Amino acid sequence: MMEILIATEKPFAPITIRQIREVAEAAGLKLTLLENYKNKADLLLAVATADALIVRSDIVSDEVLEAAKQLKVVVRAGSGYDNIDLVSCTAHNVVAMNTPGQNSNGVAELAFLLMLYQIRGGFSGKTGTELRGKTLGLHAFGNVGKYVADIARGFGMDIYAYDPFVSERVMKNNGAKQCINVEELYLKCQYISIHMPSNEITRKSIGYNLIKKMPHNAVLVNTARKEIIDEEGLLKIFDERPDFSYLSDIEPDCKAIIEEKYKGRYIFTSKKMGAQTEESNINAGVAAARQIVEYFNTGKEKYRLNK
Ligand code: 3PG
């Protein structure tokens, strides 16, 4: 019997596991679990017998793929796949896929949770501010960016977007005005929400020169990846602009400095929380299981990432 292994350092909700099990068993596949693991050795051991693997932000390195002797397919239950060594997947004859869009609403809602909590002074009792009528810039306009725009319309925000891969028409249909370059976005928007993947082009791409353009009381929200921010530039902005706040779904490497020097101007989640909802877990986890079953049954490589 072929085996699907779910290997998740940050586990899915139990209801998700039940639903994935149903999909697997209906297809005659055995489901095994490695949840909450604390060291790589456990992962290396668990993957040895797996024919298919479902992960979240778990690192699927060359070493893991080398240990996974039976592996045919790995699905990242989520969007960002910077945790998977795609070159090594190809070298090991493993198909890698993701499940784009499935957890995007959870991430979008978290962006608002961070913004609202911050501008209400973290429930400290001091007078806060509101989102209505404020400018919101979406830095990248993929699945999450669109969900954020959708929610922002309800808040009555003035929405702008910059994404070189998305047309003005798509932005307009989703209630956002297109900026012709990234500088325009940062110049116009008091709130910027980042929604791009981490890759060679985007890593450290948001730094001092861009952030300093933001208007008074600037709030930068990062529910994407910490690697996208140039932290040297970020610290310089914190130092120069007492009106600047940074809200991030995952701690930056320079967290200790910010915590010590810039109280009240940041929020950092200790674990990546954007997709940590039952709905996002179910959507992404079950989609991953279905893609595996479909691949085994028909060879269809839905959302294949490696060549
Ligand atoms: C993603 O890329 O899909 C999100 O960042 C969620 O990641 P997670 O599954 O590790 O929470």
Side-chain angles (χ1 to χ4, degrees):
M1 193 186 243
M2 292 229 270
E3 175 189 332
I4 302 182
L5 170 70
I6 298 179
T8 46
E9 240 180 307
K10 185 176 61 188
F12 289 128
I15 187 176
T16 309
I17 301 296
R18 286 200 292 279
Q19 294 195 18
I20 293 176
R21 192 178 296 287
E22 276 171 29
V23 173
E25 288 178 358
L29 303 169
K30 179 174 135 196
L31 186 72
T32 53
L33 299 179
L34 175 72
E35 294 181 301
N36 264 316
Y37 62 94
K38 301 284 178 260
N39 50 61
K40 194 169 58 181
D42 293 342
L43 177 61
L44 294 177
L45 199 67
V47 293
T49 53
D51 298 278
L53 176 62
I54 296 176
V55 292
R56 296 184 64 180
S57 291
D58 308 80
I59 306 294
V60 182
S61 61
D62 189 58
E63 192 183 1
V64 172
L65 289 156
E66 194 55 41
K69 296 285 181 222
Q70 314 287 331
L71 195 66
K72 294 146 193 78
V73 53
V74 54
V75 184
R76 194 291 188 226
S79 300
Y81 49 89
D82 44 319
N83 53 320
I84 299 184
D85 184 336
L86 294 183
V87 174
S88 179
C89 281
T90 304
H92 286 89
N93 238 342
V94 170
V95 172
M97 307 178 192
N98 66 347
T99 67
Q102 297 291 346
N103 57 18
S104 301
N105 184 62
V107 179
E109 288 191 12
L110 188 88
F112 281 88
L113 168 60
L114 295 173
M115 286 189 271
L116 289 165
Y117 189 74
Q118 177 66 13
I119 65 176
R120 291 303 182 104
F123 303 153
S124 62
K126 79 175 193 216
T127 300
T129 55
E130 300 179 15
L131 292 178
R132 181 168 293 277
K134 304 292 181 348
T135 46
L136 171 69
L138 301 169
H139 193 163
F141 204 67
N143 291 308
V144 183
K146 288 185 192 119
Y147 275 107
V148 173
D150 194 33
I151 300 168
R153 284 202 305 280
F155 275 99
M157 298 187 86
D158 189 13
I159 312 162
Y160 294 84
Y162 171 73
D163 190 325
F165 306 105
V166 177
S167 70
E168 183 177 10
R169 189 178 51 82
V170 169
M171 291 179 186
K172 203 171 158 202
N173 288 345
N174 287 276
K177 286 166 269 202
Q178 185 187 43
C179 289
I180 51 161
N181 54 47
V182 70
E183 286 78 16
E184 184 191 347
L185 187 82
Y186 280 70
L187 268 171
K188 278 203 167 112
C189 297
Q190 181 189 349
Y191 292 82
I192 297 275
S193 194
I194 303 166
H195 301 296
M196 63 180 108
S198 169
N199 56 40
E200 314 81 71
I201 297 164
T202 62
R203 250 168 250 138
K204 290 194 180 203
S205 65
I206 300 172
Y208 179 77
N209 288 331
L210 211 46
I211 305 170
K212 79 167 184 209
K213 296 188 191 309
M214 292 178 73
H216 186 62
N217 284 341
V219 179
L220 184 64
V221 187
N222 184 3
T223 53
R225 293 288 183 272
K226 69 174 178 181
E227 290 82 3
I228 293 169
I229 304 292
D230 170 22
E231 294 194 6
E232 220 174 284
L234 179 73
L235 287 174
K236 203 165 163 206
I237 291 287
F238 261 107
D239 198 42
E240 282 181 15
R241 298 246 328 239
D243 65 313
F244 169 79
S245 306
Y246 180 55
L247 319 178
S248 176
D249 182 20
I250 198 67
E251 298 162 340
D253 294 335
C254 61
K255 161 190 139 143
I257 305 175
I258 296 176
E259 284 181 348
E260 190 197 320
K261 293 171 77 174
Y262 308 113
K263 208 169 162 18
R265 294 170 51 198
Y266 64 86
I267 303 174
F268 304 140
T269 57
S270 53
K271 260 193 184 201
K272 200 159 175 48
M273 291 304 296
Q276 199 58 330
T277 63
E278 277 187 4
E279 293 85 345
S280 287
N281 281 186
I282 291 170
N283 291 344
V286 172
R290 288 202 177 119
Q291 284 172 221
I292 289 167
V293 169
E294 196 172 25
Y295 176 66
F296 284 153
N297 287 345
T298 69
K300 190 170 172 199
E301 301 174 335
K302 197 172 183 187
Y303 302 124
R304 180 170 180 155
L305 300 164
N306 60 329
K307 302 286 164 240

